[in-house]
PDB file of all heavy atoms in Angstrom:
ATOM      1  N   SER P 270      23.190 -27.384 -18.155  1.00 98.00           N
ATOM      2  CA  SER P 270      23.609 -26.066 -17.633  1.00 98.00           C
ATOM      3  C   SER P 270      23.343 -26.018 -16.134  1.00 98.00           C
ATOM      4  O   SER P 270      24.158 -25.575 -15.367  1.00 98.00           O
ATOM      5  CB  SER P 270      22.827 -24.970 -18.344  1.00 98.00           C
ATOM      6  OG  SER P 270      23.174 -24.886 -19.684  1.00 98.00           O
ATOM      7  N   ILE P 271      22.171 -26.415 -15.683  1.00 98.00           N
ATOM      8  CA  ILE P 271      21.799 -26.365 -14.290  1.00 98.00           C
ATOM      9  C   ILE P 271      22.650 -27.396 -13.482  1.00 98.00           C
ATOM     10  O   ILE P 271      22.913 -27.060 -12.300  1.00 98.00           O
ATOM     11  CB  ILE P 271      20.290 -26.476 -14.033  1.00 98.00           C
ATOM     12  CG1 ILE P 271      19.766 -27.931 -14.418  1.00 98.00           C
ATOM     13  CG2 ILE P 271      19.549 -25.468 -14.708  1.00 98.00           C
ATOM     14  CD1 ILE P 271      18.407 -28.165 -14.027  1.00 98.00           C
ATOM     15  N   PHE P 272      23.073 -28.478 -14.089  1.00 98.00           N
ATOM     16  CA  PHE P 272      23.890 -29.454 -13.398  1.00 98.00           C
ATOM     17  C   PHE P 272      25.222 -28.842 -13.149  1.00 98.00           C
ATOM     18  O   PHE P 272      25.824 -29.040 -12.011  1.00 98.00           O
ATOM     19  CB  PHE P 272      24.009 -30.709 -14.208  1.00 98.00           C
ATOM     20  CG  PHE P 272      24.800 -31.780 -13.539  1.00 98.00           C
ATOM     21  CD1 PHE P 272      24.286 -32.486 -12.445  1.00 98.00           C
ATOM     22  CD2 PHE P 272      26.060 -32.128 -14.053  1.00 98.00           C
ATOM     23  CE1 PHE P 272      25.030 -33.494 -11.839  1.00 98.00           C
ATOM     24  CE2 PHE P 272      26.798 -33.131 -13.385  1.00 98.00           C
ATOM     25  CZ  PHE P 272      26.299 -33.794 -12.310  1.00 98.00           C
ATOM     26  N   GLU P 273      25.803 -28.079 -14.102  1.00 98.00           N
ATOM     27  CA  GLU P 273      27.073 -27.419 -13.834  1.00 98.00           C
ATOM     28  C   GLU P 273      26.984 -26.325 -12.789  1.00 98.00           C
ATOM     29  O   GLU P 273      27.918 -26.161 -12.000  1.00 98.00           O
ATOM     30  CB  GLU P 273      27.591 -26.820 -15.209  1.00 98.00           C
ATOM     31  CG  GLU P 273      28.168 -27.921 -16.103  1.00 98.00           C
ATOM     32  CD  GLU P 273      29.171 -28.831 -15.439  1.00 98.00           C
ATOM     33  OE1 GLU P 273      30.092 -28.337 -14.807  1.00 98.00           O
ATOM     34  OE2 GLU P 273      29.024 -30.083 -15.527  1.00 98.00           O
ATOM     35  N   ILE P 274      25.855 -25.625 -12.727  1.00 98.00           N
ATOM     36  CA  ILE P 274      25.594 -24.614 -11.690  1.00 98.00           C
ATOM     37  C   ILE P 274      25.607 -25.339 -10.307  1.00 98.00           C
ATOM     38  O   ILE P 274      26.206 -24.878  -9.382  1.00 98.00           O
ATOM     39  CB  ILE P 274      24.341 -23.813 -11.922  1.00 98.00           C
ATOM     40  CG1 ILE P 274      24.436 -22.912 -13.157  1.00 98.00           C
ATOM     41  CG2 ILE P 274      23.999 -23.025 -10.682  1.00 98.00           C
ATOM     42  CD1 ILE P 274      23.178 -22.322 -13.612  1.00 98.00           C
ATOM     43  N   PHE P 275      24.920 -26.493 -10.302  1.00 98.00           N
ATOM     44  CA  PHE P 275      24.862 -27.294  -8.997  1.00 98.00           C
ATOM     45  C   PHE P 275      26.265 -27.665  -8.578  1.00 98.00           C
ATOM     46  O   PHE P 275      26.623 -27.524  -7.410  1.00 98.00           O
ATOM     47  CB  PHE P 275      23.944 -28.455  -9.269  1.00 98.00           C
ATOM     48  CG  PHE P 275      24.159 -29.609  -8.295  1.00 98.00           C
ATOM     49  CD1 PHE P 275      23.628 -29.625  -7.015  1.00 98.00           C
ATOM     50  CD2 PHE P 275      24.822 -30.748  -8.715  1.00 98.00           C
ATOM     51  CE1 PHE P 275      23.815 -30.547  -6.157  1.00 98.00           C
ATOM     52  CE2 PHE P 275      25.001 -31.774  -7.786  1.00 98.00           C
ATOM     53  CZ  PHE P 275      24.499 -31.707  -6.504  1.00 98.00           C
ATOM     54  N   ARG P 276      27.038 -28.204  -9.423  1.00 97.00           N
ATOM     55  CA  ARG P 276      28.402 -28.646  -9.106  1.00 97.00           C
ATOM     56  C   ARG P 276      29.264 -27.497  -8.671  1.00 97.00           C
ATOM     57  O   ARG P 276      30.034 -27.576  -7.688  1.00 97.00           O
ATOM     58  CB  ARG P 276      29.052 -29.388 -10.336  1.00 97.00           C
ATOM     59  CG  ARG P 276      28.392 -30.737 -10.560  1.00 97.00           C
ATOM     60  CD  ARG P 276      29.338 -31.757 -11.090  1.00 97.00           C
ATOM     61  NE  ARG P 276      30.136 -31.234 -12.245  1.00 97.00           N
ATOM     62  CZ  ARG P 276      31.187 -31.878 -12.743  1.00 97.00           C
ATOM     63  NH1 ARG P 276      31.520 -33.043 -12.264  1.00 97.00           N
ATOM     64  NH2 ARG P 276      31.804 -31.408 -13.812  1.00 97.00           N
ATOM     65  N   GLN P 277      29.136 -26.389  -9.474  1.00 97.00           N
ATOM     66  CA  GLN P 277      29.943 -25.179  -9.073  1.00 97.00           C
ATOM     67  C   GLN P 277      29.547 -24.667  -7.742  1.00 97.00           C
ATOM     68  O   GLN P 277      30.437 -24.208  -6.941  1.00 97.00           O
ATOM     69  CB  GLN P 277      29.714 -24.023 -10.093  1.00 97.00           C
ATOM     70  CG  GLN P 277      30.624 -22.915  -9.899  1.00 97.00           C
ATOM     71  CD  GLN P 277      32.132 -23.219  -9.868  1.00 97.00           C
ATOM     72  OE1 GLN P 277      32.607 -23.931 -10.730  1.00 97.00           O
ATOM     73  NE2 GLN P 277      32.815 -22.740  -8.826  1.00 97.00           N
ATOM     74  N   ASN P 278      28.269 -24.694  -7.346  1.00 98.00           N
ATOM     75  CA  ASN P 278      27.850 -24.246  -6.029  1.00 98.00           C
ATOM     76  C   ASN P 278      28.527 -25.112  -4.968  1.00 98.00           C
ATOM     77  O   ASN P 278      28.938 -24.626  -3.932  1.00 98.00           O
ATOM     78  CB  ASN P 278      26.285 -24.362  -5.856  1.00 98.00           C
ATOM     79  CG  ASN P 278      25.585 -23.215  -6.582  1.00 98.00           C
ATOM     80  OD1 ASN P 278      26.174 -22.173  -6.799  1.00 98.00           O
ATOM     81  ND2 ASN P 278      24.336 -23.382  -6.878  1.00 98.00           N
ATOM     82  N   LEU P 279      28.556 -26.431  -5.196  1.00 97.00           N
ATOM     83  CA  LEU P 279      29.235 -27.328  -4.173  1.00 97.00           C
ATOM     84  C   LEU P 279      30.731 -26.975  -4.056  1.00 97.00           C
ATOM     85  O   LEU P 279      31.282 -27.062  -3.004  1.00 97.00           O
ATOM     86  CB  LEU P 279      29.047 -28.766  -4.542  1.00 97.00           C
ATOM     87  CG  LEU P 279      27.535 -29.293  -4.431  1.00 97.00           C
ATOM     88  CD1 LEU P 279      27.493 -30.820  -4.725  1.00 97.00           C
ATOM     89  CD2 LEU P 279      26.946 -28.994  -3.134  1.00 97.00           C
ATOM     90  N   LYS P 280      31.399 -26.728  -5.210  1.00 96.00           N
ATOM     91  CA  LYS P 280      32.782 -26.338  -5.213  1.00 96.00           C
ATOM     92  C   LYS P 280      32.954 -25.034  -4.444  1.00 96.00           C
ATOM     93  O   LYS P 280      33.834 -24.839  -3.610  1.00 96.00           O
ATOM     94  CB  LYS P 280      33.269 -26.176  -6.601  1.00 96.00           C
ATOM     95  CG  LYS P 280      33.442 -27.517  -7.356  1.00 96.00           C
ATOM     96  CD  LYS P 280      34.026 -27.214  -8.779  1.00 96.00           C
ATOM     97  CE  LYS P 280      34.086 -28.507  -9.588  1.00 96.00           C
ATOM     98  NZ  LYS P 280      34.561 -28.185 -10.981  1.00 96.00           N
ATOM     99  N   THR P 281      32.071 -24.057  -4.751  1.00 97.00           N
ATOM    100  CA  THR P 281      32.224 -22.759  -4.048  1.00 97.00           C
ATOM    101  C   THR P 281      31.998 -22.856  -2.584  1.00 97.00           C
ATOM    102  O   THR P 281      32.690 -22.258  -1.811  1.00 97.00           O
ATOM    103  CB  THR P 281      31.094 -21.806  -4.656  1.00 97.00           C
ATOM    104  OG1 THR P 281      31.367 -21.657  -6.033  1.00 97.00           O
ATOM    105  CG2 THR P 281      31.154 -20.406  -3.928  1.00 97.00           C
ATOM    106  N   GLU P 282      31.096 -23.773  -2.136  1.00 97.00           N
ATOM    107  CA  GLU P 282      30.879 -23.945  -0.728  1.00 97.00           C
ATOM    108  C   GLU P 282      32.088 -24.573   0.015  1.00 97.00           C
ATOM    109  O   GLU P 282      32.098 -24.515   1.269  1.00 97.00           O
ATOM    110  CB  GLU P 282      29.600 -24.815  -0.513  1.00 97.00           C
ATOM    111  CG  GLU P 282      28.354 -24.096  -0.830  1.00 97.00           C
ATOM    112  CD  GLU P 282      27.090 -24.820  -0.353  1.00 97.00           C
ATOM    113  OE1 GLU P 282      27.037 -25.163   0.806  1.00 97.00           O
ATOM    114  OE2 GLU P 282      26.205 -25.048  -1.175  1.00 97.00           O
ATOM    115  N   CYS P 283      32.951 -25.088  -0.671  1.00 95.00           N
ATOM    116  CA  CYS P 283      34.206 -25.551  -0.046  1.00 95.00           C
ATOM    117  C   CYS P 283      35.246 -24.476   0.260  1.00 95.00           C
ATOM    118  O   CYS P 283      36.303 -24.687   0.713  1.00 95.00           O
ATOM    119  CB  CYS P 283      34.862 -26.704  -0.919  1.00 95.00           C
ATOM    120  SG  CYS P 283      34.163 -28.357  -0.634  1.00 95.00           S
ATOM    121  N   GLY P 284      34.859 -23.206  -0.107  1.00 92.00           N
ATOM    122  CA  GLY P 284      35.697 -22.062   0.236  1.00 92.00           C
ATOM    123  C   GLY P 284      37.039 -22.027  -0.421  1.00 92.00           C
ATOM    124  O   GLY P 284      37.959 -21.447   0.171  1.00 92.00           O
ATOM    125  N   GLY P 285      37.184 -22.586  -1.591  1.00 88.00           N
ATOM    126  CA  GLY P 285      38.470 -22.561  -2.307  1.00 88.00           C
ATOM    127  C   GLY P 285      39.439 -23.660  -1.854  1.00 88.00           C
ATOM    128  O   GLY P 285      40.547 -23.717  -2.378  1.00 88.00           O
TER     129      GLY P 285
END
Side-chain angles (χ1 to χ4, degrees):
S270 295
I271 64 174
F272 183 71
E273 285 309 310
I274 293 172
F275 159 76
R276 292 211 309 171
Q277 185 56 51
N278 281 339
L279 293 186
K280 290 180 183 178
T281 299
E282 288 193 52
C283 274

